[in-house]
Amino acid sequence: MYSSAHGWRPSQSAVLVTLLGLVSAVVACMIAVLVFAKLDTNPAYVVVGSMAVAGLIAAARRLPVAMWWTVGVAVGAALGRWS
């Protein structure tokens, strides 16, 4: 019959990966906006920059939702900085 040696992994479903990516982008955007709202400009740049670097490192390691995270950080940084 069917072999269950490998099993089902969540990263095999494009719909699930897209939904998780959208959620992570929204969370990253909210965090970036809140950081800019609560901190001064320079510490906020450090925090949001480290979030972006973490997203880029994760994307280099080919994690499924890493680019969604990085886009969310970029959008949140723009919204937080110029709002």
Side-chain angles (χ1 to χ4, degrees), residues 7-62:
W8 179 80
R9 294 182 305 198
S11 62
Q12 291 176 335
S13 171
V15 174
L16 186 59
V17 169
T18 302
L19 289 175
L20 288 174
L22 289 171
V23 168
S24 71
V26 168
V27 168
C29 184
M30 287 182 353
I31 291 171
V33 168
L34 288 174
V35 164
F36 271 101
K38 297 294 180 183
L39 298 177
D40 289 333
T41 305
N42 288 336
Y45 280 136
V46 171
V47 172
V48 172
S50 64
M51 289 170 57
V53 168
L56 291 174
I57 290 171
R61 293 180 182 223
R62 298 197 183 264

